[in-house]
Structures are given as structure tokens and as C-alpha cells.
């Protein structure tokens, strides 16, 4: 890519990856086909579909909809080879236990930015009566005789994944389940609303305490995935960093308030109306302070992109990640583009720099790649981002969407190592 001045135009925002993953996994619970609209075409989605296929859930794209048929579930074994590609594969644990009474799911392992435990997922299953052992790198879980039964699950830490897994496991359990310190993220609410539409009885989603009255049988309904608040946030930063004017369509601004406020605090004009957001760039961003936190706080998944924006700021910015303390692999790569960022524990102090200049950089994970692409939009000269396959895990056709609003970016085949 070459830094190419302000972007302008309209960017359609796709369906949310993180909201789609648990909803697709719910297909394991149903003995008849489930139709889902607005499923983004992403590598993480294909990874989950490959895993579901191994379990016997067949997927077919029907125009824009995805049809998942779990009527012939054949296996409860989620192999390492697929699980290691994506941590969210752990979502199969709850529904497999619920439907078949057993699950053998590989431990996902760490991430580029450090260990990411699954103890809370295990705790949830145990509180529903299951036994869970670790054998040869696999979680081996068994439901009690008669199936999972309701219980009280109290999470020490707010976890999106563990809350979704608990919901997927308990909606068909016998009796009542109470999830305390539940995650309040829109993706959790979306999953609960989908399950409710299928007949589940859930209360309190979107708050810290969720209560579920088990229902023996759920009936799948056609469902549309909510818009991707992180994709929208990333394009918002693309508008800001290039000093351009972008209109983002098909969004849920009400689910992005912390991000809209953070961009406004840096001096940008951001307007939200209905399902649209517009951003107008004007001069370099002001220095700011950002601290990631569970929803409705500032999302850790937008931290890297905001750091790219802060790196061209007129003042000092201080960015702290309280969710993932090591999620800073983009710092060194932004530095190669000329950013002046100094780390102090889980806080990055971003100083004004003399301007970014194009370089060859390496993507290390999904959101870090997004940050590098954003920086490349304004770096002088050519920026080459290697290992860009990370971006395809979570952004659909990002280079096409950027080109459509004026960016000079292309995907090229890289030579082998
Ligand atoms: C989800 C998102 C991810 C986002 C993250 C935080 C998906 C597929 N991914 O990940 O993009 O960055 O939320 O918003 O939706 N934890 C434990 N034990 C567990 C599980 C989590 O200690 O068993 C800790 C984590 O280390 C972290 C915190 O809980 O410190 C929050 O993580 P969590 O919300 O679970 O993240 P994910 O669901 O994996």
C-alpha cells in the first residue's frame, strides 16, 4: 500500500464475526436445519464450519444465507488440528455436552500475545453437573446421567466466551441456571436473543446476572447476525487517520459508544444516525487516554487500531489494556513505520512522531494487522504488510473496501520463506 491522502465515500459494514461464532455453534443443539443471514465470509467462520463438519453438522451457503444442519451429529470429538486455528472452537464444548452428554475438545493453546486460559469454560460445565478432565491435551467432559442440570455459575472474571458457552450448555439443561458476573457484551446479548427466539427462557442478558430456565426442546428460527462493531470501528479510524470523510452503513452505533467517544475525544467529528456513522477528519488527532475494559468500556479489540491513530497525534496518548496485558505485538511494528511508542507494563505511551514512513512490517495477529494497514494508509511511500492472512480471520475483503474509498492498496502473492 501507498499513503494516498484522505479516504472518502461509503463503507458497508458486514456481520459480526464474534457474534456469528456462538450462533453458528448453536446448530449442534438442533436436530433440524438452522438458517442464518449476514454471516461474514471470514477465515474464522470457515474454520468453525470445518470443525462443525467433523462433528457431523453440514453447512451450505444458500445465496447470502448459511444453512446448518445438525440432524445427523456423528461425533463429539473436536480435534487439535482444527481447534488450534481458532480459540473460539471451545464454543463446541457446551452444546456438545448438552446434546450428546459428552465432549472431547482439544485445549486451544495460547495466542500470539500470550496465554488465554479456558478455566472459566470448564467451571461453567462443572457447575452444570459435568465432570471435566484433561487427557492428552484434550478436555474430556461428561454430563451426569439424565443430562446437564441447572446450577449457579459465578465467574471470577467477566468472559465473553465462557458466558456464551455457559448459555449454549444450559438452555436445554434440567432446571434453573444463574450466571453471575456474566459478560454484558453485545455478542452475548445477541446469542441470548437468538436462543430466546428458538424457545429458550432467558432473563437478564445485557446485565451482570443472567437467569435461564431450561427448555427440553428448542426450535431453530431464521436469524440475522448483528453488525460487526470492530470492523466499523476500524473503518472509523481509517477515516480519522487519513483526515477523510467516510460514511459507514449497516452499523449499530448504540453498541459502539465508547469507540465513537474515544475518536471524538481526539478531535474528530463523528455523527451517528440510525444505522449510519459518519466521520470527518480535520488535522492531527489530539493526545488522549484510553483504557480497555469489558463492555460498555473501550474494547480491547480496538486498542491496536487506536494506537495507530494516536501515533500521528499532536500530543501524548496513554493507552492501557486491562483485558490482555501482553496484547502489544503491534507496538514494535508501528515503530518500524516511525511511531514513537514506549511501553510501561500494560500501558503504551504514544509520543508525537515526525510522521510515518512506509516500511516492510509483519502482521502478528488479527487486530495488529488492522493497525498496520491503518498506519500504511498515511505512511509516506510504500508499506508492505506480510502475513496478511491474519486479517482474513476477521475482515471481509478489507483491501477491496479500502480501495473503494480511495486507498492505494493491493494484495500480492508473497514469495515463500
Ligand atoms: C472474546 C473475543 C475477542 C475479545 C475478547 C475480549 C470472540 C470470539 N473473541 O474473546 O475478540 O478480544 O472477547 O473482549 O468473541 N479468561 C480466563 N479464563 C477463561 C476465559 C477467559 O481467565 O476461561 C480471561 C481472559 O484471559 C481475559 C478475560 O478473561 O483476561 C476476558 O476474556 P474473554 O472475554 O473470555 O475473551 P474471549 O471470549 O476469548
Amino acid at each position: 500500500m501507498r499513503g494516498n491522502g484522505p479516504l472518502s465515500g461509503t463503507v458497508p459494514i458486514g456481520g459480526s464475526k464474534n457474534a456469528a461464532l456462538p450462533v453458528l455453534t448453536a446448530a449442534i443443539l438442533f436436530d433440524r436445519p438452522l438458517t442464518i443471514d449476514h454471516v461474514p465470509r471470514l477465515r474464522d467462520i470457515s474454520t468453525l464450519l470445518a470443525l462443525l463438519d467433523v462433528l457431523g453438522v453440514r453447512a451450505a451457503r444458500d445465496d447470502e444465507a448459511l444453512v446448518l444442519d445438525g440432524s445427523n451429529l456423528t461425533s463429539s470429538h473436536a480435534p487439535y488440528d482444527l481447534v488450534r486455528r481458532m480459540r473460539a472452537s471451545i464454543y463446541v464444548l457446551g452444546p456438545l455436552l448438552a446434546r450428546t452428554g459428552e465432549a472431547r475438545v482439544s485445549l486451544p493453546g495460547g495466542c500470539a500475545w500470550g496465554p488465554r486460559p479456558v478455566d472459566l469454560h470448564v467451571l461453567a460445565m462443572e457447575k452444570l453437573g459435568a465432570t471435566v478432565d484433561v487427557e492428552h491435551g484434550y478436555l474430556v467432559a461428561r454430563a451426569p446421567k439424565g443430562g446437564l442440570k441447572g446450577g449457579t455459575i459465578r465467574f471470577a472474571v467477566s468472559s465473553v466466551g465462557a458466558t456464551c458457552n455457559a448459555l449454549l450448555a444450559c438452555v436445554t439443561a434440567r432446571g434453573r441456571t444463574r450466571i453471575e458476573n456474566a459478560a454484558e457484551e453485545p455478542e452475548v446479548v445477541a446469542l441470548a436473543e437468538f436462543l430466546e427466539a428458538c424457545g429458550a427462557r432467558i432473563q437478564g442478558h445485557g446485565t451482570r446476572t443472567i437467569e435461564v430456565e431450561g427448555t427440553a426442546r428448542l426450535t431453530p428460527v431464521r436469524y440475522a447476525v448483528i453488525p460487526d462493531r470492530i470492523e466499523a470501528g476500524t473503518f472509523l479510524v481509517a477515516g480519522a487517520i487519513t483526515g477523510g470523510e467516510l460514511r459507514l452503513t449497516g452499523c449499530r452505533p448504540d453498541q459502539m459508544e465508547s469507540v465513537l467517544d474515544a475518536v471524538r475525544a481526539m478531535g474528530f467529528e463523528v455523527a451517528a444516525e440510525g444505522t449510519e456513522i459518519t466521520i470527518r477528519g480535520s488535522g492531527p488527532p489530539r493526545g488522549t487516554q484510553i483504557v480497555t475494559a469489558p463492555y460498555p468500556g473501550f474494547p480491547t479489540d480496538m486498542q491496536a487500531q487506536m494506537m495507530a491513530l494516536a501515533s500521528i497525534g499532536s500530543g501524548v496518548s496513554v493507552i492501557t489494556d486491562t483485558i490482555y496485558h501482553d496484547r502489544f505485538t503491534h507496538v514494535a511494528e508501528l515503530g518500524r513505520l516511525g511511531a514513537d511508542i514506549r511501553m510501561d507494563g500494560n500501558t503504551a505511551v504514544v509520543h508525537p512522531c515526525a510522521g510515518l514512513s512506509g516500511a516492510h512490517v509483519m502482521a502478528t495477529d488479527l487486530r495488529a494487522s488492522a493497525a498496520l494497514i491503518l498506519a500504511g494508509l498515511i505512511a509516506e511511500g510504500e508499506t508492505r504488510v506480510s502475513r496478511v492472512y491474519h486479517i482474513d480471520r476477521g475482515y471481509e475483503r478489507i483491501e477491496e473496501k479500502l480501495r473503494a474509498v480511495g486507498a492505494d492498496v493491493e494484495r500480492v502473492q508473497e514469495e515463500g520463506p
Side-chain angles (χ1 to χ4, degrees):
M1 51 202 303
R2 286 175 172 280
N4 195 30
L7 300 184
S8 84
T10 300
V11 183
I13 299 304
S16 159
K17 166 177 88 74
N18 288 351
L21 291 169
V23 169
L24 298 186
T25 315
I28 294 172
L29 293 172
F30 304 118
D31 58 7
R32 56 175 89 169
L34 162 67
T35 303
I36 309 185
D37 295 296
H38 220 215
V39 178
R41 291 177 193 265
L42 299 170
R43 189 182 290 247
D44 274 7
I45 299 291
S46 335
T47 301
L48 180 66
L49 295 182
L51 176 57
L52 290 175
D53 192 66
V54 164
L55 305 176
V57 179
R58 303 289 169 236
R61 283 257 181 199
D62 169 16
D63 289 330
E64 275 316 288
L66 190 65
V67 182
L68 290 169
D69 186 354
S71 54
N72 277 316
L73 208 62
T74 49
S75 168
S76 301
H77 175 81
Y80 175 64
D81 218 34
L82 288 166
V83 173
R84 73 182 169 82
R85 291 192 215 162
M86 182 185 59
R87 227 186 100 78
S89 304
I90 191 79
Y91 279 151
V92 302
L93 180 65
L96 277 177
L97 261 182
R99 172 101 181 258
T100 72
E102 58 179 26
R104 203 162 170 268
V105 181
S106 171
L107 284 163
C111 268
W113 72 81
R116 289 174 75 183
V118 291
D119 54 318
L120 301 176
H121 296 254
V122 171
L123 171 97
M125 302 310 138
E126 287 175 343
K127 294 295 181 193
L128 298 174
T131 57
V132 185
D133 299 301
V134 177
E135 291 173 12
H136 308 293
Y138 279 79
L139 292 172
V140 180
R142 288 182 191 87
K145 267 210 173 74
L148 294 175
K149 51 185 198 309
T152 297
I153 304 167
R154 180 164 174 69
F155 290 127
V157 178
S158 163
S159 160
V160 176
T163 305
C164 287
N165 225 338
L167 272 174
L168 288 164
C170 79
V171 279
T172 56
R174 288 170 289 144
R176 205 171 174 77
T177 298
R178 187 177 159 90
I179 307 174
E180 296 178 5
N181 200 17
E184 299 170 291
E185 267 69 2
E187 295 75 19
V188 173
V189 175
L191 173 66
E193 286 176 348
F194 162 69
L195 291 169
E196 270 191 304
C198 299
R201 283 178 286 172
I202 308 175
Q203 282 184 325
H205 38 295
T207 75
R208 301 284 286 277
T209 305
I210 302 178
E211 290 194 299
V212 180
E213 188 64 51
T215 317
R217 206 183 149 74
L218 300 179
T219 310
V221 294
R222 189 164 182 151
Y223 175 79
V225 175
I226 59 171
D228 196 313
R229 61 194 172 107
I230 307 301
E231 186 195 20
T234 302
F235 278 99
L236 192 70
V237 174
I241 205 167
T242 61
E245 191 172 332
L246 289 184
R247 187 168 72 104
L248 315 180
T249 57
C251 320
R252 282 285 301 265
D254 57 312
Q255 297 178 342
M256 301 176 55
E257 276 171 15
S258 61
V259 172
L260 303 185
D261 286 346
V263 173
R264 285 187 188 115
M266 293 173 91
F268 296 95
E269 210 181 297
V270 178
E273 207 181 308
T275 57
E276 289 190 9
I277 300 173
T278 50
I279 170 132
R280 213 163 279 130
S282 49
R286 287 202 287 267
T288 191
Q289 183 157 15
I290 292 172
V291 181
T292 68
Y295 188 84
F298 189 89
T300 172
D301 285 351
M302 278 301 298
Q303 179 254 105
Q305 299 91 313
M306 290 300 277
M307 199 177 303
L309 179 58
S311 71
I312 60 154
S314 58
V316 176
S317 291
V318 180
I319 301 178
T320 303
D321 200 321
T322 68
I323 308 288
Y324 295 116
H325 293 193
D326 300 328
R327 193 178 196 175
F328 290 103
T329 53
H330 43 284
V331 168
E333 297 302 296
L334 287 172
R336 303 193 67 252
L337 295 171
D340 180 357
I341 306 169
R342 302 169 207 176
M343 291 304 303
D344 180 9
N346 61 333
T347 294
V349 183
V350 188
H351 295 267
C353 70
L356 301 183
S357 67
H360 190 164
V361 289
M362 191 83 83
T364 47
D365 71 59
L366 172 54
R367 307 303 169 188
S369 337
L372 295 175
I373 290 175
L374 291 169
L377 291 174
I378 37 124
E380 186 224 323
E382 188 176 286
T383 295
R384 194 181 176 90
V385 185
S386 287
R387 299 196 182 158
V388 74
Y389 52 81
H390 286 292
I391 203 89
D392 300 324
R393 287 191 39 217
Y395 294 88
E396 187 173 335
R397 299 179 293 106
I398 191 168
E399 74 278 20
E400 284 177 37
K401 288 190 180 184
L402 284 170
R403 255 201 316 269
V405 290
D408 180 356
V409 50
E410 62 178 329
R411 185 184 292 255
V412 293
Q413 197 61 43
E414 282 198 294
E415 312 263 309

